[in-house]
Amino acid sequence: MKTLYTKSFETPLGKMVAFAHQEALLLLDFEDSKYFEKHLKEISQGLSDIKTSNNTVLNLLGKELDLYFKGELKKFTVPTEFSGTDFQKKVWEELQNISFGEYRSYQSQADAMNRPKSVRAVANANSKNKLCLVVPCHRVIGKNLSLTGYAGGVDRKAALLKLEGIELVFKK
């Protein structure tokens, strides 16, 4: 059984909590996010215990989060491990193709996956993303420029997009 490690990070947008095993990041989210407790329960099944001791994955994440919030990191390199269905994993992999400072609609994300009629399923899978910021679901918005569907809250989503240089007039 693998040990689960945890660490909290203070960010300009609130406290984030991360969980990893020795090889990869499993969960990163704002502690008050809509799905935080549910995601924690999912990733901790089958793991022996939770430690707050030193972990190289979480140490790297801390450095990268600091650089990201300073506007100096465009792409996270911390190793990750997805837990979800095959479809969800494909959706999350596609999210990683949206670069810093860019955004797309849920429809264009579905189109990029060659699943144009699956826009609702894509949006639902985005909401199940356990790797906030690292897998940038905040870069996906409604077709009409609405800030729909962010478990951390639409104000955070707007702030993250602004941090990345995207200053559109969003509809809430």
Side-chain angles (χ1 to χ4, degrees):
M1 283 223 212
K2 292 184 179 180
T3 299
L4 192 62
Y5 297 87
T6 186
K7 190 170 186 175
S8 296
F9 303 94
E10 291 296 334
T11 77
L13 298 178
K15 184 186 272 189
M16 297 189 82
V17 182
F19 290 85
H21 53 58
Q22 206 54 44
E23 294 86 33
L25 181 66
L26 304 172
L27 173 63
L28 173 65
D29 210 346
F30 292 98
E31 70 175 352
D32 60 355
S33 180
K34 184 177 177 180
Y35 299 114
F36 178 76
E37 293 295 327
K38 183 178 188 239
H39 287 164
L40 176 56
K41 189 175 180 180
E42 289 172 8
I43 64 141
S44 60
Q45 290 178 349
L47 295 172
S48 58
D49 58 348
I50 298 176
K51 294 184 177 181
T52 56
S53 60
N54 219 7
N55 174 280
T56 55
V57 173
L58 295 177
N59 291 341
L60 174 59
L61 175 65
K63 291 174 188 166
E64 291 190 343
L65 282 173
D66 186 50
L67 291 171
Y68 173 80
F69 281 106
K70 289 178 181 174
E72 298 173 9
L73 182 80
K74 308 295 185 209
K75 188 168 180 68
F76 286 87
T77 64
V78 64
T80 58
E81 183 177 300
F82 294 137
S83 61
T85 67
D86 288 343
F87 179 76
Q88 288 170 334
K89 290 175 184 178
K90 287 177 185 165
V91 169
W92 301 330
E93 287 167 8
E94 183 59 36
L95 283 171
Q96 294 181 48
N97 293 326
I98 309 171
S99 299
F100 182 97
E102 295 179 0
Y103 67 92
R104 68 171 65 148
S105 69
Y106 294 98
Q107 182 64 62
S108 63
Q109 183 184 4
D111 292 346
M113 295 176 62
N114 294 317
R115 302 282 303 259
K117 294 182 192 260
S118 299
V119 69
R120 285 181 189 244
V122 166
N124 185 47
N126 280 1
S127 76
K128 305 292 189 287
N129 175 22
K130 295 175 187 74
L131 298 169
C132 181
L133 304 182
V134 176
V135 176
C137 59
H138 64 278
R139 296 179 185 152
V140 183
I141 63 173
K143 199 157 47 170
N144 65 350
L145 300 184
S146 61
L147 292 180
T148 60
Y150 192 64
V154 293
D155 290 339
R156 272 196 187 120
K157 186 172 189 168
L160 290 168
L161 291 170
K162 186 175 182 181
L163 175 93
E164 295 186 12
I166 300 170
E167 301 217 38
L168 302 170
V169 178
F170 293 110
K171 300 172 186 174
K172 289 188 181 183

